[in-house]
Amino acid sequence: MTARPISADATVMVVGAGAMGAGIAQVAARAGQKVCLLDQRPGAAQKAIDEAAKSWDVLVTKGRLTETQRNEALSRLTEAKIEEANGCELVIEAIAENVATKRELFTALETIVSADAILASNTSSISITALAAGMSHPDRFVGMHFFNPAPIMPLVEVVSGLATNPAVAARTFATARAWGKVPVHARSTPGFIVNRVARPFYAEAWRMLQVDAIDPATLDAILTESGGFKMGPCALMDLIGHDVNAAVSQSIFAAFDYDRRFQPSMEQREFVAAGWLGRKTGRGFFRYGPDLPNPAPDDEPDSALAPPISLKAVGRLGPAQSLVERFANAGILIEYELNTGARSALVGEGLQLVLCDGRSASQIAFEEAQPNTIIFDLALDYSKAKRVALARASSCSDFSYATALALFQKAGFSVSRVGDVPGMPVVRTVAMLVNEAADAVFQNVCSMSDCDTAMKMGTNYPLGPFEWGQAVGIEFVVRVLRNLYGVYGEERYRVSPLLQHKLWTGKAFYG
């Protein structure tokens, strides 16, 4: 039986009138709920209500809200005292991320609210199980994690602690959906879904930057123009703030008992120590100011050579098949040579092009005795990608590289050259996102579909991790991870048991 949301005429209390609390109050009021806003700081609640009025005035001006709707929503927002929680069906806490302070609040609320009221926390990092410890009725306590800014971001993680009644989680889920949000279920573990699964997006960027394989602007351009991400990791960390991003990484690292898979970047700690926190301080990866231009990626100059007139597609090209089709559409004659061996490449005029599988170009050149090897990065959709990243083996001739460059440029790509290190930007990022998502599902944190929804709605990724893994193939993801592990020998690249199980059984993530 489908759970029902809290009643339409119920009153919701939001405790904390900061950015998150004020945003949550706006969401509930816009959805038709009566909302009382509580904050111990004098005037904070009324200020939040005034700011809500201003933001809704903007929506009225833009024609996205009528004057009547604006007035009705505003009439449902009132300032409150804690005693008024006794008439609320749902109380959502959005105060400072401090365990003791939150526990003190919920201890007080438990003596006031009705027996069937739901108590929820908007915490993004504290264990729901830990917050519920010591409560008289921990079964009615749940996480209701909105994303900032709450009126705009669609995702809500509904987080169950060890004692949370499933019916309470289901009713909270239904309430978030009734408010126009996209809720997902999660079990209370460090980082819940989004903050945990997103760690590799930042970590793999730092990995490439620390060995000087690429510069920040070029890295971001590859992830956006080839990988399809809305924002590159460097610009995103500058926006979030390196102090905040580093603190979240450190928190998750500590919460997982210092599992090396989550080890934070030493380089990011240096940024924090230097005060290079990003946009808010005017400097992070990039400098910010009214007269400063946007950083430009490093593009390869136009090749002086003509592209090859034909290519031989050897083996099963998997995710690179659409690239072959783009070459064919650019007038390159494609000859197919299927074989039963492991080799998969595009070969032509003294060069070998290989989709990066976690190995460096030099490693592939050595292992396959093909000195003129050039690897290219994964793309979300080669038929639409604006950019491609290339890396050349140390044994590759200038002539062969210039020929490959001419080929990609003829097909309409901007080309960025990356240092010849194991794993290129998109392929290693995607493989690690899939792997971390698989671990979260294996550990019963969430379902595959909820994980995909959370990562698309909470971080605006172009595909959910499992959707991406399905698109490129589980075997390919596992191969990339094993090759990375083979070079680095680090636990961070070990393959999730769920991925291995899917590989052994031949089962896809979906279908």
Side-chain angles (χ1 to χ4, degrees), residues 133-206:
M135 291 180 67
S136 301
H137 301 284
D139 56 307
R140 67 176 175 186
F141 185 67
V142 67
M144 197 176 187
H145 179 215
F146 290 77
F147 285 71
N148 194 25
I152 295 173
M153 295 296 286
L155 184 68
V156 174
E157 291 178 319
V158 177
V159 187
S160 293
L162 196 61
T164 303
N165 187 326
V168 169
R171 195 170 184 217
T172 305
F173 185 99
T175 299
R177 177 177 285 168
W179 290 357
K181 293 301 181 181
V182 180
V184 293
H185 283 292
R187 186 167 62 87
S188 182
T189 54
F192 308 148
I193 302 174
V194 172
N195 280 332
R196 171 185 178 164
V197 176
R199 288 304 99 199
F201 187 69
Y202 312 111
E204 294 309 306
W206 281 110

Side-chain angles (χ1 to χ4, degrees), residues 432-473:
M432 288 293 282
L433 288 172
V434 175
N435 197 44
E436 193 53 51
D439 247 17
V441 171
F442 182 72
Q443 294 168 7
N444 199 31
V445 174
C446 57
S447 67
M448 287 190 289
S449 60
D450 273 0
C451 183
D452 277 348
T453 297
M455 300 314 292
K456 288 186 292 184
M457 297 296 172
T459 62
N460 213 12
Y461 286 178
L463 291 175
F466 293 103
E467 292 172 336
W468 216 325
Q470 184 104 336
V472 301

